[in-house]
Amino acid sequence: MRIVEKIKKEDWPAIISRATGVALLLAGVLLAAGLCAATPQDNSVPSIFDSHSTPADSIRNLSLFVLSVTGLIFLVVFSLLTYVVVKFRSRSTDGGREPAQVYGSTQIELAWTIIPILIVVVLFLATARVIHAIQDAPKPAEAVEVTAIGHQFWWEFRYPGLGIVTANELHVPVSDASRPTPTFLRLLSADTDHSFWIPQLAGKTDLIPNRVNEAWLDPHKTGLFLGQCAQYCGTQHAKMLLRVYVDSPEDFKVWVREQQQPANEDGNEAAGRRVFERTACLNCHAINGTNGNGRFGPDLTHLMSRRTIASGAAENNPQTLRQWIQDPDSIKPGSLMPAMKLSDAELDALVRYLETLQ
Amino acid sequence: MSTLATQLPDNSTAWKLPYRGRIGMACLIIAESAIFTIFVVAYLFYAGKSLSGPTPREVLETPIFYTICLLSSSLTVHLAGKLLERGRRGTFLLFWLLTIVLGALFLYGTGQEWHRLIYERGLTISTNLFGTTYYALVGLHAFHVTAGLILLTIVLLFGLAGRVGSEQSARVDVLSLYWHFVDAVWVVVFTVVYILGR
Amino acid sequence: MSSDAIAIQTAEATGQPWVQTLHEWVTTVDHKRLGVLYILYALFFLVIGGIEATIMRVQLMHPHNDFVSPQVFNRMFTMHGTTMIFFVAMPILFGFANYLVPLMIGARDMAFPRLNAFSFWLTAFGGLLLYFSLLGGNGLYGAGNAPDVGWWAYAPLASRAFSPGHSSDYWTIALLVSGFGSIGTAINIIATIVSMRCPGMTLSRMPLLAWMNMVMSGMVLLAISPLTAAQIMLLVDRYLGGHFFDTQAGGSATLWMHFFWIFGHPEVYVLIIPCFAFASEIIPVFSRKPIFGYPVMVGATVCIAFVSMSVWAHHMFTIGMSSYANSFFTITTMAVGVPTGIKIFNWLGTMWGGKIQFKTPMLFCIGFLFQFLIAGLTGIMLASSPFDWQLSGSYFVVAHFHYVIVGGILFALFGAFYYWYPKITGRMLNEGLGKLHFWLFLIGFHLTFDLMHIPGLLGMPRRIYTYEPGRGWDTINFLVTIGTFVQAIGTLVFVANLVISYFKGAKAGNDPWDAWTLEWSASSPPPVYNFASIPRVSSRRPLWDLKHPEDPDSHYE
């Protein structure tokens, strides 16, 4: 019996549809593979396959295994489906008789029950290992401890052991396999649910009010890694961005020392400092060394050590800083910072003062 | 032809399927049980977790008498059903009325307890986690008792008008099934709130 | 023909005023009319939900686009999800169940016709209430607006503190009300199937559509109820000062998640199981063979129903449960893939050795098989907890569930439309337009949802009104949006087909597909009493037995 018989006109639609499906799928797969392979070295594409940290590496390896198994299943079943659709199509030469009426087969049912069960067992065992490896990993003594508090719509980072409070841009040391210095995070929330996600460094973990969660990073490559909040938390969820700077051990020490200093005292900008202290700014913001110890908004003590403001929504330069203070909604509509309605003179003085906060 | 008469070899065994009213009520009971389960889970989850305010041990008094009332009403409604099957309409109405009275007593007891808790002990639904879960769970049950009493009263009125006889036995039976469910829920609520929760 | 003589006269025949026809339809308790009302209602909201989706996709075509504000976008994804699940998928599936179940089991109507009507109007009212929020959502504070807390309304985002005004209340009450409607219909379906099958139709001779709707209804009873309970609790929090989900008072945000997903996961099986039913009726007829492994199909469905009640926290892998909890939900979620896979194999087995006719209903069912396979496999990926720690909350998940809902559920529904439209209206849908619809929709679907997996793998979260350029997401988002327009055109072709064929379609007759279940023995459309005399059956395919008296099914099973 010839498997591929002459294809009739009325059969083309189904066959073409299958071919289109395959083509699209292959295109998709190739595109994906290409994207992953072509991920630029500068970490601008936060691909989960471009991992540079132990938990993310474990997940990547597991995902590739799962993808291979499911890919194989797909190929087998898809080939069967294509075969069936081509071979058993009705033809006008049939004579209009009904085919053999088959009701079932116990052996076949058993076969295609047992094999999937075995596949599930294998996948589960591989998965369970990684779950435990990541979630139950012990914390070494040299680990850096960070408390991350999620706010609408910014990140607060505290290093309790180092006496540092900062916001939105996290600095961690690179970790060497011989002497690991991972960063362990305690995740809390001040308001609604958030989620901490830097794809290249770890899977995501949620920040939930009235609950303490834990996560850890173990990066082995320096650089800037991008992420953002991954649990809808309100209007500006989309711009609650994350920047994680993985520093060399020396750079990290320098950064820590700078962050531990009180605010820069530049007498020239006393006017700006007065604006900060006398208007409502200090209700929400803290600057170490001034009267400002508000915790609703980010700590501004070392504002100029950050490359971005508004949790990554804008670059940190005098123009955007001025714009942000005057009209936050023009950068991040719906953020919880009110428009301060300062006069131009006050605004200029304030910005000049803030620019001194290295 | 609009239908093909599918007359196939006749098997003369009678074709008897369960009464649809019973099945419908059983399904309703399943759904309601799921709702109550969630409230019970919330109650147990929050047991002991209130940050402030009165605790169950401090303020709850076990409503033994009113519980007996409610559970006896299951017995009376069952007896009423049996009497109706036998066509004893008058006695059926008596037991039916007794069921309603016992149920109403239970509701009165709940109301009395809530009055005491609110005005003497300062426990409201917004006081703390215990208050929220307690009033929600007991309140949901009381709501179902009220709904049941309304339905029982409607049947009582029809009965008094002479419209309920042994032909309506199956339907009356469906309603008593609901009433038994309400009582069974109370057994669970009672155990969770007054025994386990303390 | 005699069917006209005993069929109820239509408005055209009697010339009655349109007000009277309207009154008949509004007060009907006939399962067929209620089924049609459900379906038309759902089709209307399908278009609305599609518009909401299109608005979102246009906004996401480019990074930092400003087609709509973040506030509007957030309302769009909330309304889109809520509408599609509760006011499109549920009603349309209940509509088909309502229409078909009594006909397929040889009954004259559902067990409780008035409850049936009441359930429909509850659901319909719920949808209207949800959309009324556009006017009344903000209460006294200003112009109204729709809920914007996502269709899961996570605590504490949906609490009074973070969601002032009434938008979240419209969400809660609309779903509460339509939830009662769903429970009512589920009760009706189960009671009908248990108590009103025609003589000879034992449970093991029932069409698979009846079995699957019975299982689905059982799941509705157990799954909608937790949502009802959670919504009552949310209302207690919002209106009576309760603390069920008030984290400031020691309440738990994760408790809402558990309650919601105990509903949410079985809900998606509630949606897919009737689509399994459509495939199980259509594929055999167009392969000219009985369904392969009927008892296994029933068993697998029941198995899915049970296991799916134990997988819910795979939506919560990232909330910080213990490794043991995560492992448990991983294995149950992977396990539910086994009976699901078995069903795919059984459909393949049905087609094997058959004589496949590529009419439009079958084309959509083949698309369903192919796409549901892929959707199931991406589901297995998401079941692996660590893999999910990367993919959860990203566009990979959005792509996965749209693959199931559009590629699986909607395709099977389209198949069901083309298959049963002749029975419901008495006319055939145009086959040429049907194939055009299929092709357009297939291409658009794959363009959108195949590509959508990729930004998820590249770190793009969901529920964001805009995104940063240069992360590798830009071009793909653009192409995904193009696919949306192609699907929209395909849908327009479908709607045009529905309307044109109603007036100009070829007359269908009783049994245009040469099928085997009881609905095809009634006229098209059936008279209001369905059957002149209640049928009597002795196998799973009563019409096969009649057409092949020398070789009836009753000899074999």
Side-chain angles (χ1 to χ4, degrees):
Chain A
M1 186 74 132
R2 288 178 55 211
I3 290 184
V4 180
E5 298 170 12
K6 190 158 189 309
I7 297 175
K8 296 279 183 336
K9 193 175 98 175
E10 64 268 13
D11 301 334
W12 277 111
I15 296 171
I16 293 177
S17 79
R18 294 281 68 70
T20 315
V22 179
L24 276 170
L25 195 70
L26 280 174
V29 168
L30 287 169
L31 184 59
L35 282 165
C36 301
T39 310
Q41 285 301 299
D42 61 358
N43 297 335
S44 57
V45 176
S47 163
I48 70 170
F49 295 114
D50 184 25
S51 57
H52 293 289
S53 158
T54 311
D57 292 338
S58 312
I59 294 176
R60 191 200 63 212
N61 295 338
L62 177 65
S63 342
L64 291 173
F65 176 64
V66 172
L67 275 169
S68 335
V69 172
T70 51
L72 190 62
I73 297 173
F74 171 72
L75 279 170
V76 168
V77 182
F78 175 67
S79 314
L80 281 171
L81 180 58
T82 313
Y83 175 73
V84 163
V85 161
V86 173
K87 169 119 164 80
F88 298 111
R89 62 194 194 277
S90 77
R91 301 164 183 86
S92 40
T93 52
D94 279 342
R97 275 192 354 256
E98 306 282 32
Q101 303 289 292
V102 177
Y103 299 91
S105 155
T106 314
Q107 294 100 311
I108 297 182
E109 300 281 6
L110 271 172
W112 65 41
T113 306
I114 295 188
I115 296 175
I117 290 180
L118 292 173
I119 295 176
V120 163
V121 169
V122 166
L123 283 177
F124 171 68
L125 290 174
T127 301
R129 270 186 57 220
V130 176
I131 294 177
H132 283 279
I134 294 179
Q135 285 200 267
D136 302 333
K139 181 160 66 172
E142 297 83 16
V144 176
E145 288 179 352
V146 174
T147 302
I149 303 166
H151 295 258
Q152 283 181 320
F153 306 98
W154 61 280
W155 304 89
E156 179 178 351
F157 296 120
R158 295 167 173 259
Y159 297 67
L162 303 169
I164 295 173
V165 178
T166 183
N168 300 325
E169 297 183 5
L170 185 65
H171 281 255
V172 299
V174 71
S175 175
D176 194 300
S178 57
R179 238 190 109 250
T181 50
T183 302
F184 271 69
L185 297 132
R186 276 179 86 231
L187 303 169
L188 311 170
S189 171
D191 39 40
T192 58
D193 304 329
H194 303 275
S195 193
F196 184 87
W197 191 29
I198 313 276
Q200 291 171 282
L201 298 183
K204 65 179 67 67
T205 309
D206 291 357
L207 294 85
I208 297 172
N210 201 23
R211 186 186 177 94
V212 181
N213 277 341
E214 306 212 321
W216 59 284
L217 315 173
D218 190 47
H220 27 258
K221 181 182 141 178
T222 57
L224 165 63
F225 293 92
L226 301 173
Q228 61 190 94
C229 177
Q231 180 62 267
Y232 179 62
C233 49
T235 312
Q236 273 298 342
H237 161 67
K239 288 196 176 174
M240 191 169 157
L241 306 176
L242 273 167
R243 296 165 78 84
V244 177
Y245 290 90
V246 178
D247 297 326
S248 67
E250 301 73 35
D251 285 343
F252 184 68
K253 279 206 195 66
V254 168
W255 179 83
V256 167
R257 222 183 15 253
E258 285 173 356
Q259 293 290 316
Q260 285 171 329
Q261 307 303 318
N264 201 6
E265 280 293 335
D266 188 328
N268 290 339
E269 301 303 343
R273 180 178 155 154
R274 260 202 308 282
V275 173
F276 174 80
E277 285 177 334
R278 300 233 175 110
T279 50
C281 309
L282 49 66
N283 285 331
C284 293
H285 291 287
I287 296 180
N288 201 344
T290 68
N291 291 333
N293 58 1
R295 290 286 160 216
F296 189 72
D299 188 296
L300 302 178
T301 311
H302 299 285
L303 175 62
M304 288 303 126
S305 69
R306 305 201 272 267
R307 310 266 171 82
T308 61
I309 58 169
S311 197
E315 262 194 50
N316 187 356
N317 60 50
Q319 294 77 21
T320 50
L321 195 53
R322 191 177 203 281
Q323 183 189 354
W324 173 250
I325 299 169
Q326 193 61 334
D327 184 14
D329 273 3
S330 62
I331 293 177
K332 202 166 164 180
S335 79
L336 297 181
M337 167 139 162
M340 294 314 291
K341 302 273 192 267
L342 300 172
S343 70
D344 276 341
E346 285 176 320
L347 197 51
D348 288 332
L350 180 61
V351 172
R352 276 202 309 274
Y353 167 64
L354 291 172
E355 290 283 320
T356 68
L357 297 173
Q358 300 294 340
Chain B
M1 31 183 185
S2 69
T3 55
L4 295 165
T6 49
Q7 295 301 341
L8 292 160
D10 179 271
N11 46 354
S12 42
T13 49
W15 183 249
K16 187 90 176 66
L17 292 172
Y19 172 51
R20 61 197 162 140
R22 234 194 150 126
I23 303 290
M25 182 52 73
C27 289
L28 180 66
I29 287 172
I30 291 172
E32 296 273 33
S33 306
I35 297 180
F36 274 103
T37 303
I38 298 296
F39 277 91
V40 166
V41 165
Y43 189 90
L44 290 170
F45 181 79
Y46 282 134
K49 294 217 174 87
S50 296
L51 298 180
S52 65
T55 62
R57 198 177 288 267
E58 286 169 12
V59 298
L60 285 183
E61 283 170 15
T62 318
I64 305 248
F65 171 69
Y66 294 108
T67 301
I68 293 177
C69 284
L70 189 67
L71 296 182
S72 325
S73 69
S74 252
L75 184 62
T76 54
V77 86
H78 174 76
L79 291 172
K82 286 273 168 279
L83 286 162
L84 186 64
E85 267 173 46
R86 293 207 298 269
R88 307 259 305 275
R89 292 192 184 200
T91 333
F92 152 74
L93 278 176
L94 203 62
F95 273 84
W96 198 255
L97 179 61
L98 193 53
T99 308
I100 296 175
V101 167
L102 289 168
L105 263 174
F106 171 84
L107 271 188
Y108 170 77
T110 306
Q112 205 191 35
E113 178 177 15
W114 284 17
H115 190 274
R116 182 183 60 78
L117 285 170
I118 294 171
Y119 289 105
E120 289 173 31
R121 308 309 235 111
L123 180 75
T124 65
I125 200 168
S126 59
T127 305
N128 57 7
L129 289 171
F130 164 54
T132 302
T133 51
Y134 169 79
Y135 283 105
L137 180 57
V138 175
L140 188 71
H141 177 258
F143 171 77
H144 283 79
V145 172
T146 310
L149 284 179
I150 293 173
L151 293 169
L152 288 170
T153 307
I154 293 175
V155 172
L156 180 72
L157 292 174
F158 274 112
L160 289 171
R163 301 265 192 124
V164 181
S166 56
E167 315 78 55
Q168 282 73 34
S169 208
R171 294 182 178 197
V172 166
D173 189 55
V174 165
L175 183 53
S176 10
L177 192 58
Y178 173 79
W179 192 252
H180 291 308
F181 164 70
V182 164
D183 283 3
V185 170
W186 181 248
V187 170
V188 173
V189 172
F190 180 85
T191 311
V192 164
V193 172
Y194 296 98
I195 301 179
L196 296 179
R198 286 218 262 208
Chain C
M1 285 219 59
S2 58
S3 61
D4 298 316
I6 46 181
I8 295 296
Q9 302 299 308
T10 60
E12 298 124 43
T14 57
Q16 69 185 13
W18 64 268
V19 195
Q20 196 173 338
T21 313
L22 183 64
H23 179 259
E24 277 175 16
W25 277 87
V26 166
T27 57
T28 186
V29 296
D30 173 21
H31 73 101
K32 298 184 288 300
R33 287 197 163 176
L34 286 169
V36 169
L37 284 175
Y38 265 118
I39 293 172
L40 290 176
Y41 182 87
L43 282 177
F44 172 72
F45 277 105
L46 177 67
V47 172
I48 305 270
I51 292 173
E52 287 158 352
T54 309
I55 291 174
M56 288 192 278
R57 282 314 323 167
V58 171
Q59 166 65 13
L60 291 173
M61 263 176 111
H62 304 294
H64 290 172
N65 205 1
D66 59 1
F67 181 63
V68 290
S69 70
Q71 288 88 347
V72 170
F73 187 91
N74 296 343
R75 287 177 212 142
M76 285 300 109
F77 71 70
T78 304
M79 293 294 273
H80 169 78
T82 310
T83 302
M84 288 303 202
I85 299 270
F86 294 101
F87 302 109
V88 178
M90 296 281 276
I92 209 169
L93 294 169
F94 279 142
F96 273 100
N98 243 311
Y99 196 98
L100 294 171
V101 167
L103 280 168
M104 287 175 106
I105 64 171
R108 294 204 186 285
D109 206 318
M110 297 284 265
F112 308 111
R114 280 169 296 189
L115 176 65
N116 207 3
F118 181 61
S119 303
F120 168 72
W121 289 107
L122 274 178
T123 303
F125 178 68
L128 295 177
L129 190 63
L130 179 70
Y131 277 84
F132 184 74
S133 64
L134 290 163
L135 299 174
N138 242 353
L140 292 172
Y141 300 104
N145 51 48
D148 62 353
V149 289
W151 82 276
W152 326 320
Y154 266 7
L157 192 59
S159 67
R160 260 277 149 83
F162 296 103
S163 195
H166 293 300
S167 52
S168 297
D169 296 318
Y170 279 99
W171 179 88
T172 310
I173 299 177
L175 295 190
L176 194 60
V177 165
S178 68
F180 291 135
S182 301
I183 293 179
T185 307
I187 292 175
N188 228 331
I189 292 175
I190 294 178
T192 306
I193 290 176
V194 172
S195 300
M196 295 176 61
R197 281 164 288 128
C198 63
M201 188 178 281
T202 59
L203 284 174
S204 68
R205 286 189 195 151
M206 218 166 47
L208 281 179
L209 187 136
W211 261 112
M212 295 193 186
N213 277 289
M214 188 166 72
V215 171
M216 170 262 222
S217 300
M219 291 181 71
V220 165
L221 296 178
L222 291 172
I224 298 280
S225 308
L227 179 67
T228 305
Q231 286 168 329
I232 295 173
M233 293 177 184
L234 181 61
L235 287 172
V236 166
D237 276 11
R238 284 179 65 88
Y239 280 98
L240 298 178
H243 305 292
F244 278 108
F245 310 113
D246 177 7
T247 49
Q248 297 295 316
S252 163
T254 53
L255 192 65
W256 170 271
M257 294 180 194
H258 280 292
F259 290 161
F260 185 84
W261 289 115
I262 287 176
F263 147 76
H265 193 82
E267 167 69 6
V268 309
Y269 285 94
V270 163
L271 298 182
I272 194 77
I273 286 177
C275 298
F276 292 163
F278 299 146
S280 303
E281 297 297 332
I282 294 173
I283 291 178
V285 168
F286 291 91
S287 307
R288 308 311 303 162
K289 287 175 69 227
I291 189 78
F292 189 89
Y294 173 103
V296 173
M297 290 297 267
V298 173
T301 310
V302 174
C303 194
I304 290 173
F306 275 108
V307 178
S308 75
M309 307 284 318
S310 72
V311 307
W312 75 89
H314 66 228
H315 298 270
M316 297 158 62
F317 277 144
T318 60
I319 69 152
M321 295 187 297
S322 74
S323 50
Y324 297 101
N326 285 334
S327 304
F328 172 78
F329 286 104
T330 294
I331 185 125
T332 53
T333 308
M334 288 183 177
V336 85
V338 173
T340 316
I342 289 175
K343 295 175 84 106
I344 297 185
F345 297 135
N346 275 289
W347 287 314
L348 269 178
T350 306
M351 291 161 71
W352 187 284
K355 294 200 172 150
I356 304 172
Q357 298 167 352
F358 295 108
K359 302 262 172 56
T360 309
M362 187 61 169
L363 288 177
F364 276 107
C365 283
I366 294 176
F368 158 82
L369 273 183
F370 173 58
Q371 282 144 196
F372 186 68
L373 168 69
I374 296 178
L377 292 174
T378 58
I380 295 284
M381 295 176 208
L382 291 165
S384 170
S385 194
F387 204 175
D388 188 74
W389 293 335
Q390 289 283 27
L391 298 175
S392 168
S394 79
Y395 261 87
F396 189 90
V397 176
V398 180
H400 160 76
F401 69 70
H402 281 94
Y403 230 88
V404 187
I405 296 182
V406 183
I409 294 176
L410 193 56
F411 268 68
L413 270 167
F414 284 145
F417 265 102
Y418 284 90
Y419 187 60
W420 277 293
Y421 183 93
K423 176 56 56 186
I424 297 175
T425 61
R427 295 184 183 263
M428 305 294 287
L429 280 171
N430 182 282
E431 188 67 15
L433 283 179
K435 293 204 156 89
L436 179 64
H437 167 211
F438 171 73
W439 280 102
L440 280 172
F441 207 85
L442 186 80
I443 291 170
F445 168 79
H446 281 279
L447 187 58
T448 297
F449 295 110
D450 286 3
L451 292 179
M452 196 186 272
H453 290 87
I454 299 173
L457 297 167
L458 299 183
M460 181 175 179
R462 58 189 287 195
R463 300 179 154 187
I464 54 175
Y465 76 97
T466 190
Y467 51 93
E468 300 303 297
R471 296 203 181 185
W473 308 341
D474 309 12
T475 314
I476 298 183
N477 269 291
F478 181 81
L479 292 171
V480 163
T481 303
I482 302 295
T484 313
F485 293 116
V486 180
Q487 288 174 78
I489 299 173
T491 311
L492 285 172
V493 170
F494 171 62
V495 172
N497 200 353
L498 289 175
V499 174
I500 296 172
S501 304
Y502 185 78
F503 298 103
K504 298 245 171 72
K507 287 268 167 106
N510 289 12
D511 185 13
W513 309 117
D514 193 6
W516 306 306
T517 40
L518 282 176
E519 77 272 29
W520 304 105
S521 70
S523 63
S524 301
V528 74
Y529 48 82
N530 293 348
F531 305 99
S533 53
I534 296 292
R536 202 176 183 84
V537 305
S538 58
S539 82
R540 290 174 187 150
R541 297 188 297 169
L543 297 192
W544 168 277
D545 291 353
L546 280 169
K547 293 172 190 175
H548 301 267
E550 77 292 348
D551 186 30
D553 268 1
S554 43
H555 284 176
Y556 300 99
E557 43 171 24

